Amino acid sequence: VGGSVSFDFGRVPGPPCAATTSFTTNTGSFDDGSGTGLDYVNNQTCTWLITPATGTVTLSFSAFDIEPTNDTVTVYDGGSATAVSLGTYSGNAIPASLTSTSNAMFIQFKSNATISGPVFDASFITNIPPAARSGLTNLTSANVNLTDGLTT
């Protein structure tokens, strides 16, 4: 009699992530939507579609800590969840970088009704192929500066 009892139910959940977010830029970043110091929301499905104009997309995670097995992040090599899966991830091991075979990558995060986790943070870059070389150029000057066309 006369003492206090405390319980730790984990961190307070943050706001839910947006249902669907689309990127058409060559670089960008996104996360689970929870905010700093908050857990993500249970029972949600969120997706991110990355479709730059050209090139392939490389996705990298800088933080990853979600409920093992029941909450997942799945990365697809294309524009929807019907595309080929590049991998499904859960737990707290940061996945290796993933690269699409086209200019489309689809990411889906699903959390179940119990136990949330602190975070995942991801960023992407577009791998733009070098401009196509066209034909030959005849050089007629004694003083010419040549470049590979890739550097400025």
Side-chain angles (χ1 to χ4, degrees), residues 22 25 30 56 69 108 110 114 118-119 140 145 147:
S22 295
T25 56
F30 58 92
T56 60
T69 308
Q108 183 177 59
K110 286 185 174 185
T114 60
V119 70
T140 57
N145 281 333
T147 70

Side-chain angles (χ1 to χ4, degrees), residues 13-130:
C17 54
T20 301
T21 303
S22 295
F23 295 97
T24 57
T25 56
N26 288 335
T27 63
S29 61
F30 58 92
D31 58 35
D32 57 60
S34 61
T36 303
L38 301 172
D39 282 0
Y40 56 81
V41 175
N42 285 324
N43 233 8
Q44 66 178 343
T45 299
C46 303
T47 61
W48 295 267
L49 175 62
I50 305 168
T51 54
T54 188
T56 60
V57 177
T58 296
L59 180 72
S60 301
F61 291 92
S62 58
F64 199 90
D65 190 0
I66 64 176
E67 180 191 7
T69 308
N70 296 316
D71 297 350
T72 59
V73 173
T74 304
V75 181
Y76 296 93
D77 188 11
S80 72
T82 61
V84 172
S85 172
L86 294 173
T88 298
Y89 307 93
S90 67
N92 60 9
I94 295 177
S97 295
L98 300 163
T99 300
S100 66
T101 59
S102 71
N103 69 323
M105 182 179 276
F106 187 79
I107 300 95
Q108 183 177 59
F109 170 57
K110 286 185 174 185
S111 63
N112 70 350
T114 60
I115 305 175
S116 61
V119 70
F120 76 83
D121 292 321
S123 61
F124 65 90
I125 60 168
T126 302
N127 310 296
I128 301 173

